[in-house]
Amino acid sequence: MTQAAPDPRHMSRALFDGPDRAVARSMMKAVGFTDADLSRPQVGVAHCWIGTMPCNWNHRELAQQVMAGIRAAGGTPIEVNTIAINDAITTGSEGMKTSLVSREVIADSVELVARGHMFDALVVIAGCDKTIPAMAMALGRLDIPGLLLYSGSIHSGECKSPGGMFGGRKLTIQDVYEAVGAFNAGRISIQEFKDVEDHACPGPGACGGQFTANTMATACEMLGISPMGFNGIPAPDAPKAQVALQCGQLVMDLLQRGVTPRSLATRQSFENAIAGVMATGGSTNAVLHLLAMASEFGVDLVIDDFDRISRRTPVLADLRPWGSYTAVEMYEAGGMAVVGKRLVQAGLLHSGQRTVTGLTLDEEIERAVEQAGQRVIRPLADPIKPQGGLGILRGNLAPGGCVIKLSGQAKTAHRGPARVYEREEDAFQAIKDGTIRPNDVLVLRYEGPKGGPGMREMQLVTGALQGAGLGETVALVTDGRFSGATHGFVIGHIVPEAADGGPIAVLQDGDMLVIDVAARRLDVELAPEVLQSRLSAWRPAPSRAASGVLAKYARLVSDASHGAITT
């Protein structure tokens, strides 16, 4: 028996067809839609243009190209705009508490519009850090034909004056963070500091290393919900508009074939995405975001899966923040498909996983064109590290798990006294004042999803440590999280967090902490009865957010080991 072809108007017929739907049609005609428009498949084009940052600055232009592709392929595009919060701008301030929260708000808002207006299909355009997982989460929830396009990386900047600590570098936002630390430590002049500030970000696009945005963009290619190679094209480059047009055409093909995101993003696809993150030394935030995405796609994924895949996956791409090259140079070298080709050769990817292009991931990877003589992506025989860029630790300080960034890190152990702070700003001031000394373990608590609330990134502190020359000798432990631009001996996402009465809540200055990467352990040297006595005496503090969106988030959010999703 022949299976009936999918109805390309499987949702919108109920909204616009028949005499009873005249009110809906009348409202749409008020803004220029015609009967012909309303008789075609209705395809949402959701993006995050906002006037507060460079990361999403090209979204409206890309949306126009996507919509042109949809029209050319017989659909009716409908533009949708939602919010975004910039991590780099808000970092180190109370504003940063809103960043991770925005992931849920973006996913909710796109889902609501798509359900309410009964879109038949959806293209989502994402740029800055939280917008990528948020848009992917919306695709997983809705499970209507759709795909994700990343709007692209920024180009690197350069100082105008030669010499000095930052002269001659290909600047990214990471260098501005470190310039803050260097200036506060008296290591650079005000002139060099201003030179870095003024020239690190030369135009539109998301931060230019394998920070969170580029980590998640490459993960979406490996996952199969973005066309391989499209996300790597830098934001200002002409091919970005061309692939946006193709995305509009491609979503109509997905609609005609009835291919939905959940049919593509399987358990094996998520493991391929994790392998890509590990091979590129990607952001610790990928753990949070891929766990959250997997939940929305109905895929059972746990934090220990990241450690298992990391242990077998070499670091192959030499990328900032810990390496030498920028995201643009990665694209020029051949992009994520070249990394994928190495992983296929090593037998580290699941074969046969379908993608939005209609080809399998293996077939997409096989088409990779590697730049002759490129040095960004290493051969399998010469990896940067034999194991992946992230690890999951447990121990009496993190019984529910935590995440350590291993890429570019030669250090495998640390033992030192705790220096405990309950706000990022206080820890930053301590570094500026010279209070933090080599061998210390800087502890930042009550910065988790619930305790912050909002799980701020500790980038201001990690940048200050690097700029002050303490990055190699001081460890940092937090129930908060880190920017993708972070490097150093840093551990985040501690579960249970302090606000949930986790052991980190009862640490005291001078307690000896032990980090053992090989054993995957994070412990405090306290007798079990002492630790238990402290925990028994602990009482929760009032929430830092009494009302509004942050208070709502604190009530609903899960722990970091479950992706900090709201349930």
Side-chain angles (χ1 to χ4, degrees):
M1 185 175 179
T2 304
Q3 187 174 0
D7 179 8
R9 297 190 61 222
H10 61 114
M11 299 293 291
S12 64
R13 282 190 194 282
L15 196 66
F16 292 127
D17 286 11
D20 294 345
R21 302 308 304 163
V23 172
R25 293 192 299 272
S26 180
M27 294 290 285
M28 295 296 282
K29 289 173 181 178
V31 290
F33 289 89
T34 66
D35 285 327
D37 293 330
L38 300 178
S39 69
R40 300 185 187 107
Q42 307 294 294
V43 183
V45 180
H47 61 80
C48 304
W49 185 91
I50 195 167
T52 58
M53 66 183 81
C55 315
N56 308 332
W57 196 253
N58 61 343
H59 281 201
R60 286 188 295 184
E61 297 169 10
L62 293 177
Q64 291 301 313
Q65 294 299 318
V66 171
M67 293 197 302
I70 291 167
R71 289 191 193 96
T76 295
I78 302 177
E79 186 177 8
V80 178
N81 177 233
T82 188
I83 66 160
I85 305 290
N86 184 278
D87 293 36
I89 293 171
T90 60
T91 228
S93 75
E94 286 291 300
M96 184 58 178
K97 293 181 177 181
T98 65
S99 173
L100 188 59
V101 181
S102 76
R103 186 189 72 184
E104 312 307 301
V105 175
I106 294 163
D108 289 352
S109 64
V110 173
E111 178 195 2
L112 280 171
V113 175
R115 289 192 190 280
H117 287 267
M118 303 183 75
F119 293 157
D120 297 304
L122 181 66
V123 176
V124 293
I125 304 172
C128 59
D129 295 5
K130 305 309 167 296
T131 65
I132 304 173
M135 289 296 194
M137 289 161 69
L139 289 177
R141 290 179 189 178
L142 293 162
D143 202 33
I144 57 176
L147 59 90
L148 182 149
L149 174 65
Y150 171 52
S151 52
S153 172
I154 195 172
H155 280 269
S156 58
E158 61 178 351
C159 288
K160 298 305 178 186
S161 299
M165 184 175 176
F166 293 91
R169 290 194 194 184
K170 291 188 173 182
L171 299 177
T172 69
I173 198 67
Q174 171 192 353
D175 298 288
V176 186
Y177 285 119
E178 294 180 12
V180 171
F183 177 71
N184 287 330
R187 300 175 71 198
I188 62 173
S189 67
I190 185 63
Q191 290 80 15
E192 185 175 359
F193 179 51
K194 195 71 164 59
D195 198 0
V196 176
E197 176 187 330
D198 289 348
H199 302 113
C201 301
C207 300
Q210 193 66 343
F211 310 151
T212 304
N214 286 306
T215 296
M216 294 311 299
T218 52
C220 286
E221 289 187 348
M222 296 294 284
L223 188 60
I225 61 172
S226 294
M228 179 61 71
F230 283 23
N231 289 352
I233 300 168
D237 292 9
K240 203 75 192 188
Q242 298 166 18
V243 299
L245 183 74
Q246 293 176 46
C247 283
Q249 298 167 332
L250 181 55
V251 77
M252 293 302 296
D253 176 64
L254 293 169
L255 181 57
Q256 295 293 338
R257 293 189 288 122
V259 177
T260 66
R262 287 193 174 202
S263 71
L264 301 175
T266 64
R267 164 77 188 207
Q268 290 73 29
S269 301
F270 272 95
E271 292 201 356
N272 288 344
I274 295 171
V277 170
M278 299 306 171
T280 58
S283 168
T284 51
N285 286 308
V287 179
L288 276 180
H289 297 328
L290 286 170
L291 286 169
M293 289 162 56
S295 177
E296 303 295 0
F297 278 83
V299 170
D300 183 21
L301 199 67
V302 297
I303 59 165
D304 294 315
D305 291 322
F306 290 81
D307 198 72
R308 173 177 55 81
I309 295 169
S310 181
R311 285 178 182 270
R312 73 188 188 206
T313 308
V315 179
L316 298 170
D318 184 10
L319 295 170
R320 307 279 304 268
W322 50 270
S324 304
Y325 299 99
T326 64
V328 174
E329 291 167 296
M330 165 86 158
Y331 164 68
E332 293 169 347
M336 200 61 197
V338 174
V339 175
K341 186 171 282 191
R342 302 277 198 274
L343 294 175
V344 167
Q345 291 167 352
L348 295 173
L349 293 184
H350 296 286
S351 63
Q353 300 307 300
R354 296 190 302 152
T355 76
V356 290
T357 64
L359 301 176
T360 65
L361 184 64
D362 317 60
E363 292 167 332
E364 288 286 4
I365 285 170
E366 186 58 35
R367 295 164 26 154
V369 178
E370 185 171 347
Q371 181 188 51
Q374 65 86 16
R375 302 179 66 182
V376 182
I377 305 164
R378 297 277 190 88
L380 276 176
D382 183 31
I384 296 162
K385 294 193 74 166
Q387 293 187 353
L390 302 174
I392 305 300
L393 310 185
R394 295 182 185 269
N396 69 0
L397 193 53
C402 60
V403 182
I404 184 170
K405 193 162 191 175
L406 302 173
S407 46
Q409 180 61 257
K411 193 172 180 178
T412 60
H414 186 100
R415 180 179 182 272
R419 302 292 177 234
V420 182
Y421 299 90
E422 301 194 356
R423 294 174 68 252
E424 181 187 12
E425 293 88 343
D426 296 337
F428 179 64
Q429 188 63 45
I431 298 168
K432 288 178 66 176
D433 294 344
T435 303
I436 306 303
R437 302 293 185 184
N439 202 51
D440 284 347
V441 181
L442 192 56
V443 177
L444 276 74
R445 65 189 180 195
Y446 292 98
E447 290 284 9
K450 183 182 294 185
M455 202 179 187
R456 289 195 288 184
E457 291 180 348
M458 304 295 108
Q459 179 61 21
L460 193 65
V461 172
T462 59
L465 287 173
Q466 294 292 335
L470 294 169
E472 301 303 316
T473 59
V474 172
L476 174 58
V477 171
T478 181
D479 54 8
R481 60 192 179 90
F482 300 110
S483 164
T486 295
H487 62 121
F489 206 61
V490 296
I491 296 169
H493 307 200
I494 286 182
V495 174
E497 63 172 292
D500 278 333
I504 190 174
V506 298
L507 288 181
Q508 299 174 6
D509 279 346
D511 286 344
M512 295 300 295
L513 303 190
V514 180
I515 304 162
D516 186 337
V517 174
R520 294 299 201 260
R521 297 284 304 184
L522 171 64
D523 294 289
V524 55
E525 290 184 343
L526 291 175
E529 59 271 19
V530 173
L531 183 57
Q532 186 55 52
S533 175
R534 289 189 191 178
L535 287 169
S536 296
W538 176 86
R539 296 294 180 270
S543 174
R544 289 172 170 172
S547 62
V549 66
L550 294 181
K552 184 188 300 184
Y553 182 81
R555 289 195 301 269
L556 297 176
V557 70
S558 72
D559 65 49
S561 291
H562 292 89
I565 58 174
T566 51
T567 55

PDB file of all heavy atoms in Angstrom, residues 316-319 324-325 329-330 333 342 370-379 382 384:
ATOM      1  N   LEU A 316      41.720  17.854  18.418  1.00  0.00           N
ATOM      2  CA  LEU A 316      42.349  17.969  17.100  1.00  0.00           C
ATOM      3  C   LEU A 316      42.436  19.400  16.583  1.00  0.00           C
ATOM      4  O   LEU A 316      43.298  19.706  15.764  1.00  0.00           O
ATOM      5  CB  LEU A 316      41.575  17.125  16.080  1.00  0.00           C
ATOM      6  CG  LEU A 316      41.534  15.614  16.362  1.00  0.00           C
ATOM      7  CD1 LEU A 316      40.535  14.939  15.435  1.00  0.00           C
ATOM      8  CD2 LEU A 316      42.928  15.015  16.189  1.00  0.00           C
ATOM      9  N   ALA A 317      41.554  20.274  17.027  1.00  0.00           N
ATOM     10  CA  ALA A 317      41.513  21.648  16.510  1.00  0.00           C
ATOM     11  C   ALA A 317      42.194  22.592  17.501  1.00  0.00           C
ATOM     12  O   ALA A 317      41.857  22.614  18.686  1.00  0.00           O
ATOM     13  CB  ALA A 317      40.068  22.080  16.265  1.00  0.00           C
ATOM     14  N   ASP A 318      43.134  23.361  17.011  1.00  0.00           N
ATOM     15  CA  ASP A 318      43.971  24.240  17.834  1.00  0.00           C
ATOM     16  C   ASP A 318      43.324  25.629  17.893  1.00  0.00           C
ATOM     17  O   ASP A 318      43.740  26.561  17.206  1.00  0.00           O
ATOM     18  CB  ASP A 318      45.365  24.310  17.217  1.00  0.00           C
ATOM     19  CG  ASP A 318      46.343  25.118  18.042  1.00  0.00           C
ATOM     20  OD1 ASP A 318      46.004  25.470  19.183  1.00  0.00           O
ATOM     21  OD2 ASP A 318      47.448  25.402  17.537  1.00  0.00           O
ATOM     22  N   LEU A 319      42.316  25.757  18.732  1.00  0.00           N
ATOM     23  CA  LEU A 319      41.462  26.947  18.696  1.00  0.00           C
ATOM     24  C   LEU A 319      41.522  27.753  19.980  1.00  0.00           C
ATOM     25  O   LEU A 319      41.720  27.214  21.067  1.00  0.00           O
ATOM     26  CB  LEU A 319      40.010  26.525  18.435  1.00  0.00           C
ATOM     27  CG  LEU A 319      39.744  25.877  17.063  1.00  0.00           C
ATOM     28  CD1 LEU A 319      38.342  25.294  17.027  1.00  0.00           C
ATOM     29  CD2 LEU A 319      39.924  26.894  15.957  1.00  0.00           C
ATOM     30  N   SER A 324      45.615  28.493  19.339  1.00  0.00           N
ATOM     31  CA  SER A 324      46.247  29.544  18.543  1.00  0.00           C
ATOM     32  C   SER A 324      45.326  30.234  17.543  1.00  0.00           C
ATOM     33  O   SER A 324      45.607  31.371  17.150  1.00  0.00           O
ATOM     34  CB  SER A 324      47.437  28.941  17.770  1.00  0.00           C
ATOM     35  OG  SER A 324      48.353  28.319  18.654  1.00  0.00           O
ATOM     36  N   TYR A 325      44.266  29.569  17.111  1.00  0.00           N
ATOM     37  CA  TYR A 325      43.528  30.047  15.946  1.00  0.00           C
ATOM     38  C   TYR A 325      42.096  30.453  16.289  1.00  0.00           C
ATOM     39  O   TYR A 325      41.519  30.018  17.277  1.00  0.00           O
ATOM     40  CB  TYR A 325      43.530  28.974  14.853  1.00  0.00           C
ATOM     41  CG  TYR A 325      44.917  28.632  14.370  1.00  0.00           C
ATOM     42  CD1 TYR A 325      45.590  27.511  14.851  1.00  0.00           C
ATOM     43  CD2 TYR A 325      45.572  29.450  13.456  1.00  0.00           C
ATOM     44  CE1 TYR A 325      46.870  27.198  14.421  1.00  0.00           C
ATOM     45  CE2 TYR A 325      46.860  29.148  13.014  1.00  0.00           C
ATOM     46  CZ  TYR A 325      47.501  28.024  13.506  1.00  0.00           C
ATOM     47  OH  TYR A 325      48.778  27.735  13.091  1.00  0.00           O
ATOM     48  N   GLU A 329      39.584  31.219  11.012  1.00  0.00           N
ATOM     49  CA  GLU A 329      40.672  30.381  10.481  1.00  0.00           C
ATOM     50  C   GLU A 329      40.256  28.908  10.423  1.00  0.00           C
ATOM     51  O   GLU A 329      40.688  28.174   9.525  1.00  0.00           O
ATOM     52  CB  GLU A 329      41.923  30.568  11.335  1.00  0.00           C
ATOM     53  CG  GLU A 329      42.529  31.960  11.172  1.00  0.00           C
ATOM     54  CD  GLU A 329      43.579  32.283  12.220  1.00  0.00           C
ATOM     55  OE1 GLU A 329      43.220  32.344  13.419  1.00  0.00           O
ATOM     56  OE2 GLU A 329      44.749  32.476  11.847  1.00  0.00           O
ATOM     57  N   MET A 330      39.446  28.485  11.359  1.00  0.00           N
ATOM     58  CA  MET A 330      38.887  27.126  11.319  1.00  0.00           C
ATOM     59  C   MET A 330      38.038  26.940  10.049  1.00  0.00           C
ATOM     60  O   MET A 330      38.143  25.924   9.348  1.00  0.00           O
ATOM     61  CB  MET A 330      38.030  26.908  12.573  1.00  0.00           C
ATOM     62  CG  MET A 330      37.113  25.709  12.507  1.00  0.00           C
ATOM     63  SD  MET A 330      37.889  24.183  13.001  1.00  0.00           S
ATOM     64  CE  MET A 330      36.419  23.247  13.443  1.00  0.00           C
ATOM     65  N   ALA A 333      40.213  26.661   7.043  1.00  0.00           N
ATOM     66  CA  ALA A 333      40.934  25.388   6.989  1.00  0.00           C
ATOM     67  C   ALA A 333      40.076  24.248   6.446  1.00  0.00           C
ATOM     68  O   ALA A 333      40.605  23.195   6.063  1.00  0.00           O
ATOM     69  CB  ALA A 333      41.439  25.027   8.380  1.00  0.00           C
ATOM     70  N   ARG A 342      38.310  13.431  10.349  1.00  0.00           N
ATOM     71  CA  ARG A 342      39.300  12.810  11.237  1.00  0.00           C
ATOM     72  C   ARG A 342      38.596  11.827  12.196  1.00  0.00           C
ATOM     73  O   ARG A 342      39.089  10.725  12.463  1.00  0.00           O
ATOM     74  CB  ARG A 342      40.003  13.871  12.069  1.00  0.00           C
ATOM     75  CG  ARG A 342      40.711  14.963  11.280  1.00  0.00           C
ATOM     76  CD  ARG A 342      42.092  14.557  10.821  1.00  0.00           C
ATOM     77  NE  ARG A 342      42.856  15.727  10.459  1.00  0.00           N
ATOM     78  CZ  ARG A 342      42.859  16.335   9.269  1.00  0.00           C
ATOM     79  NH1 ARG A 342      42.102  15.845   8.296  1.00  0.00           N
ATOM     80  NH2 ARG A 342      43.608  17.390   9.037  1.00  0.00           N
ATOM     81  N   GLU A 370      39.711  20.273   2.433  1.00  0.00           N
ATOM     82  CA  GLU A 370      40.694  20.745   3.402  1.00  0.00           C
ATOM     83  C   GLU A 370      41.692  21.682   2.735  1.00  0.00           C
ATOM     84  O   GLU A 370      42.237  21.377   1.670  1.00  0.00           O
ATOM     85  CB  GLU A 370      41.414  19.553   4.028  1.00  0.00           C
ATOM     86  CG  GLU A 370      42.381  19.937   5.128  1.00  0.00           C
ATOM     87  CD  GLU A 370      42.921  18.723   5.866  1.00  0.00           C
ATOM     88  OE1 GLU A 370      42.367  17.607   5.696  1.00  0.00           O
ATOM     89  OE2 GLU A 370      43.902  18.890   6.622  1.00  0.00           O
ATOM     90  N   GLN A 371      41.906  22.821   3.356  1.00  0.00           N
ATOM     91  CA  GLN A 371      42.872  23.800   2.835  1.00  0.00           C
ATOM     92  C   GLN A 371      44.275  23.202   2.876  1.00  0.00           C
ATOM     93  O   GLN A 371      44.715  22.679   3.899  1.00  0.00           O
ATOM     94  CB  GLN A 371      42.811  25.065   3.675  1.00  0.00           C
ATOM     95  CG  GLN A 371      43.740  26.175   3.220  1.00  0.00           C
ATOM     96  CD  GLN A 371      43.766  27.313   4.223  1.00  0.00           C
ATOM     97  OE1 GLN A 371      43.969  27.100   5.417  1.00  0.00           O
ATOM     98  NE2 GLN A 371      43.534  28.524   3.755  1.00  0.00           N
ATOM     99  N   ALA A 372      44.979  23.286   1.769  1.00  0.00           N
ATOM    100  CA  ALA A 372      46.334  22.750   1.707  1.00  0.00           C
ATOM    101  C   ALA A 372      47.236  23.463   2.714  1.00  0.00           C
ATOM    102  O   ALA A 372      47.253  24.683   2.786  1.00  0.00           O
ATOM    103  CB  ALA A 372      46.903  22.914   0.298  1.00  0.00           C
ATOM    104  N   GLY A 373      47.972  22.686   3.480  1.00  0.00           N
ATOM    105  CA  GLY A 373      48.932  23.254   4.418  1.00  0.00           C
ATOM    106  C   GLY A 373      48.336  23.848   5.680  1.00  0.00           C
ATOM    107  O   GLY A 373      49.057  24.443   6.484  1.00  0.00           O
ATOM    108  N   GLN A 374      47.013  23.700   5.875  1.00  0.00           N
ATOM    109  CA  GLN A 374      46.398  24.302   7.068  1.00  0.00           C
ATOM    110  C   GLN A 374      46.974  23.661   8.334  1.00  0.00           C
ATOM    111  O   GLN A 374      47.316  22.481   8.363  1.00  0.00           O
ATOM    112  CB  GLN A 374      44.872  24.157   7.013  1.00  0.00           C
ATOM    113  CG  GLN A 374      44.335  22.742   7.080  1.00  0.00           C
ATOM    114  CD  GLN A 374      44.152  22.225   8.500  1.00  0.00           C
ATOM    115  OE1 GLN A 374      44.137  22.996   9.458  1.00  0.00           O
ATOM    116  NE2 GLN A 374      44.041  20.907   8.635  1.00  0.00           N
ATOM    117  N   ARG A 375      47.028  24.464   9.407  1.00  0.00           N
ATOM    118  CA  ARG A 375      47.595  23.983  10.668  1.00  0.00           C
ATOM    119  C   ARG A 375      46.598  24.068  11.826  1.00  0.00           C
ATOM    120  O   ARG A 375      46.951  23.830  12.974  1.00  0.00           O
ATOM    121  CB  ARG A 375      48.848  24.802  11.001  1.00  0.00           C
ATOM    122  CG  ARG A 375      49.907  24.740   9.900  1.00  0.00           C
ATOM    123  CD  ARG A 375      51.120  25.579  10.228  1.00  0.00           C
ATOM    124  NE  ARG A 375      51.841  25.058  11.387  1.00  0.00           N
ATOM    125  CZ  ARG A 375      52.928  25.636  11.904  1.00  0.00           C
ATOM    126  NH1 ARG A 375      53.384  26.763  11.376  1.00  0.00           N
ATOM    127  NH2 ARG A 375      53.535  25.108  12.950  1.00  0.00           N
ATOM    128  N   VAL A 376      45.361  24.405  11.497  1.00  0.00           N
ATOM    129  CA  VAL A 376      44.353  24.577  12.543  1.00  0.00           C
ATOM    130  C   VAL A 376      43.873  23.228  13.059  1.00  0.00           C
ATOM    131  O   VAL A 376      43.720  23.033  14.275  1.00  0.00           O
ATOM    132  CB  VAL A 376      43.152  25.385  12.006  1.00  0.00           C
ATOM    133  CG1 VAL A 376      42.124  25.621  13.108  1.00  0.00           C
ATOM    134  CG2 VAL A 376      43.615  26.706  11.407  1.00  0.00           C
ATOM    135  N   ILE A 377      43.627  22.294  12.145  1.00  0.00           N
ATOM    136  CA  ILE A 377      43.085  20.976  12.492  1.00  0.00           C
ATOM    137  C   ILE A 377      44.186  19.945  12.304  1.00  0.00           C
ATOM    138  O   ILE A 377      44.674  19.731  11.193  1.00  0.00           O
ATOM    139  CB  ILE A 377      41.868  20.637  11.609  1.00  0.00           C
ATOM    140  CG1 ILE A 377      40.814  21.754  11.710  1.00  0.00           C
ATOM    141  CG2 ILE A 377      41.274  19.288  12.008  1.00  0.00           C
ATOM    142  CD1 ILE A 377      39.768  21.718  10.622  1.00  0.00           C
ATOM    143  N   ARG A 378      44.596  19.341  13.383  1.00  0.00           N
ATOM    144  CA  ARG A 378      45.721  18.413  13.363  1.00  0.00           C
ATOM    145  C   ARG A 378      45.344  17.070  12.739  1.00  0.00           C
ATOM    146  O   ARG A 378      44.178  16.648  12.801  1.00  0.00           O
ATOM    147  CB  ARG A 378      46.205  18.150  14.788  1.00  0.00           C
ATOM    148  CG  ARG A 378      46.757  19.358  15.525  1.00  0.00           C
ATOM    149  CD  ARG A 378      48.197  19.630  15.172  1.00  0.00           C
ATOM    150  NE  ARG A 378      48.751  20.640  16.066  1.00  0.00           N
ATOM    151  CZ  ARG A 378      49.326  20.396  17.237  1.00  0.00           C
ATOM    152  NH1 ARG A 378      49.394  19.149  17.674  1.00  0.00           N
ATOM    153  NH2 ARG A 378      49.812  21.373  17.970  1.00  0.00           N
ATOM    154  N   PRO A 379      46.336  16.360  12.200  1.00  0.00           N
ATOM    155  CA  PRO A 379      46.089  14.984  11.762  1.00  0.00           C
ATOM    156  C   PRO A 379      45.895  14.077  12.971  1.00  0.00           C
ATOM    157  O   PRO A 379      46.329  14.385  14.089  1.00  0.00           O
ATOM    158  CB  PRO A 379      47.356  14.622  10.984  1.00  0.00           C
ATOM    159  CG  PRO A 379      48.408  15.556  11.479  1.00  0.00           C
ATOM    160  CD  PRO A 379      47.712  16.816  11.870  1.00  0.00           C
ATOM    161  N   ASP A 382      48.838  13.246  15.155  1.00  0.00           N
ATOM    162  CA  ASP A 382      49.480  14.314  15.922  1.00  0.00           C
ATOM    163  C   ASP A 382      48.435  15.171  16.635  1.00  0.00           C
ATOM    164  O   ASP A 382      48.317  16.365  16.399  1.00  0.00           O
ATOM    165  CB  ASP A 382      50.330  15.184  14.975  1.00  0.00           C
ATOM    166  CG  ASP A 382      51.092  16.272  15.714  1.00  0.00           C
ATOM    167  OD1 ASP A 382      51.454  16.061  16.888  1.00  0.00           O
ATOM    168  OD2 ASP A 382      51.315  17.348  15.114  1.00  0.00           O
ATOM    169  N   ILE A 384      46.476  17.342  19.555  1.00  0.00           N
ATOM    170  CA  ILE A 384      46.915  18.279  20.579  1.00  0.00           C
ATOM    171  C   ILE A 384      46.897  17.606  21.937  1.00  0.00           C
ATOM    172  O   ILE A 384      47.800  17.776  22.754  1.00  0.00           O
ATOM    173  CB  ILE A 384      46.031  19.536  20.566  1.00  0.00           C
ATOM    174  CG1 ILE A 384      46.210  20.267  19.236  1.00  0.00           C
ATOM    175  CG2 ILE A 384      46.331  20.462  21.745  1.00  0.00           C
ATOM    176  CD1 ILE A 384      45.131  21.250  18.913  1.00  0.00           C
TER     177      ILE A 384
END
